[in-house]
Amino acid sequence: MYQIYPRAFADTDGDGVGDLRGVTASLDHLAGPPDSLGVDAIWLSPFYPHGGVDGGYDVTDFTAVAPEFGSLTDIDRLLAASHERGVRVLLDLVTGHTSDRHPWFAAARASRANASRDWYLWADPRPGTAPPTNWVAAFGGSAWTLDEGSGQFFHHSFYPEQPDLNWRNAAVREEMANAMRFWLDRGVDGFRVDAIEFLIKDRRLRDNPPAGPPLPPWSPEPGGLRRRWTRNQPGVAGVLRHLRRVTDEYPDRVLVGELYASARQVAAALGGGRADGLHLALDHQLAKSAWDAKAFRRAIAAAERHLAPPLSPTWAFSNHDLSRHATRWGVERARLAALILLTLRGTVCLYQGEEIGMTDLVPAPGPGPDGARRDRAGRDPARGPFDWDEAARQRSDHESLLAFYRGLIELRRRAPAVRHGTLSLLRGLPPGVLGYERRFEDEKLTVLANMSHRRTVVRLPSGHANTQLMATDVDQVHPTGGTVELDADHGVVIG
Ligand code: GLC
C-alpha cells in the first residue's frame, strides 16, 4: 500500500497544490509499466473540503472534493485508471471529528435545544469557568473549548477547530455510514480510518491520572497525564464493528485503521479472534523505534505474539505525521530500512517519497500556496512536495533506491515465503544484527540486517542454502561457506 498526501504529490494546474488529476497522471510511477514501483493499493489522505487547519483532517463535507483538489469526476477517473492497473484505492475516513465549520457543528452549536446538539461532546464548566476535566488535546492545551454562546465546553482530541463527534449517538453512526456508502458506491476499495484510539471518551468524564513510570515510546502522553479515560476505551470496539458491518455490505473492501498502540491493542482493534473489527491496523511501533536491532526485534516479536495468523500486522516507517525515516534514521540507512520493511510479515504501507529517499524539508515561511495555515504541530517537513525530477532520474538507474524498492516489491510478489509465509526471529546473532526467517511450505528465506556501526560476520544456520536474492549493496555481500559478511547498514535476503 502506498500513501499519497495529495496536496504535496503532483500538481497539474500549476497552483502549487497537488490535485487528483496529478495522482491519475502519475500512476505510471506507482504501478503498470515494468519500471514502476509495483504497489497494490494507494491510500489518499483527505481531499475533502476542509477548514484549512489540519492538512485536510478538519473536514467540512465528507462527501465532496475540495476545489483545489478537483471534482468528483476526477475521483471517478482516478478510480477507473487505478482499477485498470489492478491498483485498489483507499480513502481517508476522518471519523473522530469534523471541522468547527462543518454544518453539523454549526447546528449543534446554535442552541442547546438543537436536535443535533448531541452529535458532539458538550459539558458544563466545573465550578467557576474551569474545563470539565483535565484532559489534554493531542496537539497541546486543554481538550475542551468554551462555547461562549451556550456557556458549555465542547471536546476536541486535536485542534480546537476539530470538535469530536459523539459516537454514542445513533444519528452520527448512521451519517458516517452514509458517507462511507457514498464512496463505496462509487467504487472506492476501502478506507484508512483516522485516529481510532480517540473515538470514545469516558462517559463519566473522569480526570486522567498523572503519567506513571516510563511509558512505551509509541504513546507519548501529553501534559504529564496518562490518557486513561480518553484513549482506547472499551467502546471503540463497538464503533469499529459498526464500520466493519457497513464495509461488509460491499464485496471485497478493506478497512485499515490508524493507531499508535501496543501489538495487543492493535489485535483488539482487529476484533481479536472474532476478526470483526478492522481488517488491518497500521502498526507504528517500528516507526517510533530507535534504529536498534534489539528494539526492532522486540516490536517484531510482539507482533508475532499478538497478531499471529489469521491476524497480521501492517507496517509503516513514515507517514505525513512523522519526521521521515530517512531523516530520523539517516539517509545512508534507507536501503537497509527498505529491505527490512518489505520482508516483514503482513502488509506494508509506504509513504510517498520514501522510495526515492526523500528527507524532511524546511518549509518556506508564510502561508502555503492554498492559503492553508502552517501545521501548528510542526509536521510540515514530512509533507514537502514530491521530487519528480529525482524520481525520473532514479527510474532509469538500476542501482537507485527506487530500483531497490521495486526489486523488493517484486520479491514479495514472487516469493510466497515473503508474501504470506511465517516469520521466525533468529537467535544468537552478533549484536546489532537483526535476522529472521520467512517460510512457506518448502520455501525458506533468511533476512539478515546489520543495524550496527561495524562490519560483522554472520554464521548461517547449518545446512542453509546461500543464494543471494537481494542485497543492499551487490558488491559487498557474498554468502560463502556458511558465513555472510555485512558492512554497517547493509543487509541481505538469502534463500
Ligand atoms: C490522524 C492524522 C493526522 C491528523 C489527526 C487528526 O492522526 O493522521 O494528520 O492531524 O488524525 O485528524
Side-chain angles (χ1 to χ4, degrees), residues 3 5 43 45 54-55 57-58 92 94 97 139 158-159 162 192 194-195 198 258 260 319-321 375 379 383:
Q3 179 192 357
Y5 187 72
W43 141 36
S45 277
D54 187 19
Y57 286 87
D58 49 330
D92 214 306
V94 188
H97 47 266
F139 302 138
F158 296 92
Y159 291 125
Q162 295 170 293
R192 173 264 192 188
D194 187 58
F198 304 106
E258 177 212 25
Y260 288 83
N319 63 36
H320 65 296
D321 292 328
D375 182 52
R379 295 166 298 176
R383 302 172 178 183

Side-chain angles (χ1 to χ4, degrees), residues 208-233:
N208 276 329
L215 292 150
W218 60 87
S219 66
E221 306 281 325
L225 297 175
R226 192 159 65 84
R227 290 189 271 206
R228 169 70 183 86
W229 303 113
T230 43
R231 183 167 166 265
N232 287 320
Q233 298 299 294

Side-chain angles (χ1 to χ4, degrees), residues 33 76 79 103 135 227 313 396 450 458 467 491 494:
D76 292 342
L79 284 170
W135 300 348
R227 290 189 271 206
S396 49
N450 181 4
V458 183
T467 317
I494 48 189

